[in-house]
Structures are given as structure tokens and as C-alpha cells.
Amino acid sequence: MSELRADDLHMRYDDLEVLRGVTFTVEPGQVKVIIGPSGSGKSTLLRCLALLEEPESGEVSLEGRRPQPGEIGMVFQRFNLFQNMTALQNVMCGLVEVRRLPKREAREQATEFLARVGLADKAGQYPDELSGGQQQRVAMARALVMRPKAMLFDEPTSALDVELVREVLDVMESLAREGMTMVVVSHELRFAHHVASSVLMMDEGRIVEEAPPDEFFASPKEERTKRFLSLVE
Amino acid sequence: MLAGFSTHIFWEALSSGPFWRGALLALELTIFSFLVAIVLGFFLAIGRSSKSRTVRGGVFFYTWIFRATPTLLQLLFVWDALPQIWGVFRQGWFTPFLAAAVALSLNEAAYMAEIVRSGLLSVDPGQELAGRALGMSRARILRQIIVPQAVRIVIPPMGNEFITLLKLTSLASVISVTELLTAAQNFYSTTFSYAEAFAAAALYYLVIVSVLMVIQSWLEKKFTWTSRGRRRRTTAPVPAISHDAR
């Protein structure tokens, strides 16, 4: 049972309260899409879940305990592929440096995962030589090869040219269909509509509303959600 | 032709043992001090962003001392004053070469620290974040991701430092290190052929720096991450630190 929980997370940067008590649970195989204005705390929440930041108070747990390194995969808005490594080396990195697999075995697995995101032929290319969409797919392979129990996506398509968004969303959709537990911060509302188990609205460090996508988009209850949706759509 | 300049004497100086050995000594002194300075500078750079106030203060003090005083003074201090203060330096192992190497290494480290620091800072913070998200330790992130990327950035300013250091070795002539300038001085003190002696020494410096420039451009290509080995776009270089006369 890989349920991912955030329990009453609080976080502040200096005087700014970024998270004001966020609690939510992602059941195994669920996909939660978080929307909200910039500065609402979405990214900070994701970083807390990925253990990239330590919340001031509150806890993050996976299956009732603290997640181990590599158990929660993270995909960033700006891909953050290691610039000094080829696509294949990027995907191998976690296996070699964290899991301590022998290079040969790591290479085999990495090759397999690159193929899964449709980039087997780009193994020897450096990030600079790949399009944004390709880079983001390599970044997904890099996280997935660690066999994470949950995947977090921080606006994975918002740095992409419009025509490259689709290829990234396709990989995410197939991942969701395979039953991956996912938390996605994104304003791709069509994706949210099709794929999400539920959609969350965040504002000023709180979860304002959470509902299944049909309900969320058709009849949002909160005034704040209505206002936001009317601006985004 | 040049009336007073004897090509014959110039060639004689150029091919003489003292010049050849002097050039080699200058090069050895440069390479040694350069390598020590990189290591020292790396730790100074890390220390500058330490959480401990004492460490940060220490690094500041070090940089301040070595940048605010003339290199010649530091050289003389190491060679003449250290033996006066501590007896151990009065023994035979403390050669002029070693004294010069110590002074130049310590001096260069102060400048190197700034270069290393700017190099480390120029690497996109997203790189470290991605490493941490994979569960990599800080040391591994530094070694596998940050340092290799910083290397590319610091190659040009470090090339400058190497050249500066090479030229600074001529200062060591004052503490009887028989480097190039000493060779030139010894040559003209008997022959009075100043022009030929200095020209010969200059030519050696020129050759060393030219070779360095070739190595530098090779390194810059090597640390540009493209599969085809050609330069696509380079990140904006870190501006070389304005050179205070040392």
C-alpha cells in the first residue's frame, strides 16, 4: 500500500507563510492534480513531499513511514537534466550513485527506460542537443528508473513550446494508466479532466477545495476556485 | 638590421643550459604552485559559504592578507622572515625553490578561491536539486555534477591565473631561485649583452604561454557537453577577476 500523506504541513520563508496547514492523502494509483495561482504554495508542497525541503512542522509519510531516498520521483519544470551527462548517463546516474548498481546493469535498465519514453535513439545525446519535450521525457525516465512508489510533477509542461506539450503528457497519461501514484502541479486542465482522480485548488498556502474532476470543473463550490477557473479557461 | 643586436649571441643564450634549465624551473614552480593553489582555493571557496562564522572569518582574513600585500613581500617574508621566527626553516631542506613554491601557492590560492567560488555558483541550482531528488549525497552531487560543470566555467580565468603565476616566478630571482630571469642576469653580467639575454628569456615565456593556450582551448572543447565535440553555445564566461598588480 503506497499511500503518500502530507500531514498538517507548515512552512514559512522569513515572514512569508507559504504553507498554512496542508493535509492530504494520495491513495495508491491515484493521480492528484493541483492547481492554483503562483505563490499559492503548490511548488513548496511538492518540494516538501520530495523531501527537498524540510517543513517547519508537519510530516510527510509514505506507507506510514518517512520515504527513503529515491522512493519518490520528482520531475521539474525546467527538466534539470545533468548538463555534463548524456541522456543515458542521466538515467543511469541514480542507479549507480544511489543504488550502487554495477555500471553494466545500470546501463541495461537505463536503456530500457529510455525506450519506454521513446528516446532509445537519443541515448548518446547531451541535454543541450535535445528539445524541451525530449529533455523532459529523459527527466521522467531518470526518475522512473529508480522504481519510485510515487511520482511528483512540478509544472512539467509549462516551460515547453506548445507543440511539445503533448509528448510529455502522453508519457504521463500512460504512467497513470499503469497505476502510478502521482501528484501533478499543472494548469493543463484537459489533462486534469481526463486523468486526475481528483483536482485540488490551492490558495495562500491552503487547500481550498478538492473534488473529482467532473464535479470540480462543472460545479466548483468555492468562490476562489470559480474565480481562478474563469481566468484560466 | 639591428645594429647592436647579435643573432649569434641570442642563439647562444637561447640554447645555453642555464636558460633551458631556468625555463624548466619556472615551469615547475608554476605548475606546482598552480596545483596546490587549486586545492587550497577549493577549500577556501567551500569555507566561504560555511555555516560557521569562524570559518568564514578565517577565509576572509586569509584572502585579505594575501591580496592586500605585494607578492614580492610575501616571497621575501617566507624566505627571510620565517627562518628568523622558526628554527625549523633554518635547515637545509628549506630551499629557495620550496620557499618560492610556498609563497606563490599561498598567494595564488587567495585568487583561486574567488574563481572556484564563482564557478561553483554559476552552476544552475536546479542541478543540485535534481541530484537531491534522486537521493544523492551532497559529496556525490558535488563530485559528479557540480564540479565537472564548474570546470568548464573556470578554465578561462584559470588560464589567466596560470600565465600570471608563470610571470610571477620571475620574482623568485630575488631569493636566488635560478629561474629564467636569473639566467638572463647571469648571462649579461659577464657578456653585457642585455638585449640578447632578455630576448632569449622572453622567447621562453612566449613559448610556454603559447603551449598553454593550445592546452586551454583543448580543455574548453573537452568540457563542452555535446556528442559531436563541436561547440554549440557557450555559457557566458565568468569575467576574469580584475587583475591587481601583484
Side-chain angles (χ1 to χ4, degrees):
Chain A
M1 288 301 285
S2 55
E3 58 157 28
L4 177 63
R5 279 183 59 85
D7 204 10
D8 198 23
L9 297 183
H10 285 264
M11 182 81 183
R12 72 164 71 231
Y13 299 123
D14 298 321
D15 283 340
L16 190 69
E17 264 193 283
V18 196
L19 297 180
R20 310 170 186 228
V22 174
T23 299
F24 81 120
T25 307
V26 195
E27 298 296 340
Q30 272 194 333
V31 177
K32 297 225 168 177
V33 173
I34 304 176
I35 64 170
S38 57
S40 60
K42 301 167 301 196
S43 287
T44 308
L45 172 61
L46 233 51
R47 285 170 179 223
C48 286
L49 289 173
L51 306 184
L52 293 174
E53 289 195 48
E54 197 58 40
E56 227 167 70
S57 66
E59 261 180 30
V60 171
S61 66
L62 184 69
E63 301 172 334
R65 54 177 176 75
R66 195 177 160 79
Q68 298 295 304
E71 272 193 326
I72 297 180
M74 175 95 171
V75 171
F76 299 90
Q77 182 178 4
R78 300 222 44 99
F79 334 128
N80 298 0
L81 285 184
F82 305 133
Q83 296 292 315
N84 57 325
M85 300 184 193
T86 62
L88 185 68
Q89 288 168 337
N90 263 281
V91 183
M92 286 170 64
C93 189
L95 296 176
V96 175
E97 301 295 330
V98 181
R99 293 280 149 79
R100 307 291 169 88
L101 287 189
K103 280 236 165 98
R104 260 193 54 189
E105 208 173 312
R107 188 183 305 272
E108 269 171 37
Q109 294 191 25
T111 308
E112 184 196 322
F113 274 80
L114 265 186
R116 271 186 62 181
V117 296
L119 291 172
D121 57 325
K122 301 289 182 193
Q125 309 284 95
Y126 284 93
D128 262 5
E129 303 166 320
L130 301 173
S131 74
Q134 291 169 337
Q135 288 191 54
Q136 193 60 298
R137 280 145 69 198
V138 174
M140 283 192 262
R142 175 176 69 179
L144 288 169
V145 80
M146 303 293 280
R147 326 256 169 179
K149 295 188 168 146
M151 285 283 288
L152 312 175
F153 296 84
D154 188 5
E155 306 206 27
T157 57
S158 59
L160 296 177
D161 291 339
V162 254
E163 67 265 43
L164 301 176
V165 169
R166 195 64 248 164
E167 64 187 67
V168 170
L169 292 183
D170 282 345
V171 177
M172 291 171 65
E173 276 187 42
S174 71
L175 208 55
R177 260 184 274 117
E178 288 162 27
M180 175 61 80
T181 309
M182 291 162 62
V183 181
V184 183
V185 169
S186 175
H187 292 146
E188 297 291 335
L189 299 188
R190 283 203 5 231
F191 172 83
H193 216 127
H194 287 133
V195 182
S197 328
S198 65
V199 184
L200 286 79
M201 167 79 196
M202 271 191 86
D203 189 38
E204 297 184 335
R206 287 193 186 86
I207 294 174
V208 179
E209 181 166 3
E210 173 173 1
D214 288 336
E215 192 183 321
F216 186 94
F217 292 114
S219 52
K221 291 190 185 60
E222 299 294 325
E223 201 46 49
R224 186 70 188 90
T225 312
K226 285 179 198 161
R227 215 168 353 119
F228 186 74
L229 286 177
S230 72
L231 288 173
V232 176
E233 267 167 350
Chain B
M1 275 294 285
L2 300 165
F5 191 91
S6 157
T7 327
H8 174 71
I9 295 176
F10 171 70
W11 279 111
E12 189 190 315
L14 199 64
S15 56
S16 72
F19 272 81
W20 176 241
R21 283 193 296 275
L24 202 63
L25 198 70
L27 192 60
E28 282 169 7
L29 191 55
T30 307
I31 292 174
F32 178 89
S33 311
F34 186 71
L35 294 179
V36 174
I38 288 178
V39 176
L40 260 177
F42 180 79
F43 287 107
L44 287 169
I46 300 280
R48 251 200 77 162
S49 38
S50 162
K51 286 195 186 88
S52 150
R53 222 170 223 280
T54 326
V55 174
R56 284 204 311 272
V59 171
F60 176 83
F61 185 73
Y62 181 97
T63 326
W64 178 61
I65 290 284
F66 281 96
R67 290 184 62 173
T69 60
T71 312
L72 184 56
L73 185 148
Q74 294 163 17
L75 201 64
L76 290 168
F77 190 93
V78 171
W79 177 239
D80 292 322
L82 283 190
Q84 180 199 336
I85 304 170
W86 288 292
V88 275
F89 292 110
R90 259 171 256 154
Q91 292 157 15
W93 61 268
F94 196 60
T95 60
F97 180 86
L98 196 59
V102 168
L104 291 181
S105 303
L106 294 179
N107 173 279
E108 183 56 39
Y111 294 87
M112 216 51 115
E114 271 309 301
I115 293 176
V116 172
R117 198 174 99 91
S118 64
L120 293 177
L121 286 178
S122 70
V123 176
D124 173 15
Q127 299 282 304
E128 187 191 344
L129 218 54
R132 284 175 52 210
L134 281 179
M136 290 172 75
S137 67
R138 288 205 66 115
R140 276 169 186 270
I141 292 172
L142 207 58
R143 208 175 64 216
Q144 305 291 342
I145 301 163
I146 312 238
V147 169
Q149 293 184 43
V151 166
R152 175 173 67 174
I153 309 281
V154 300
I155 289 170
M158 280 202 182
N160 280 345
E161 287 306 304
F162 191 92
I163 293 172
T164 305
L165 206 47
L166 175 70
K167 292 185 289 193
L168 284 175
T169 59
S170 65
L171 293 178
S173 60
V174 301
I175 62 168
S176 64
V177 173
T178 52
E179 45 65 69
L180 265 173
L181 195 58
T182 315
Q185 284 165 344
N186 290 341
F187 189 84
Y188 66 64
S189 67
T190 52
T191 60
F192 299 101
S193 313
Y194 298 99
E196 293 84 350
F198 287 134
L203 190 63
Y204 272 108
Y205 284 116
L206 285 169
V207 168
I208 296 174
V209 171
S210 306
V211 171
L212 171 81
M213 284 161 70
V214 172
I215 296 176
Q216 181 178 332
S217 80
W218 175 77
L219 278 175
E220 280 177 36
K221 279 203 196 80
K222 186 171 163 5
F223 282 92
T224 302
W225 322 107
T226 61
S227 55
R228 289 173 210 97
R230 66 192 162 85
R231 309 195 64 166
R232 263 246 279 244
R233 82 187 148 77
T234 41
T235 36
V238 176
I241 293 162
S242 60
H243 259 270
D244 13 13
R246 285 191 251 167

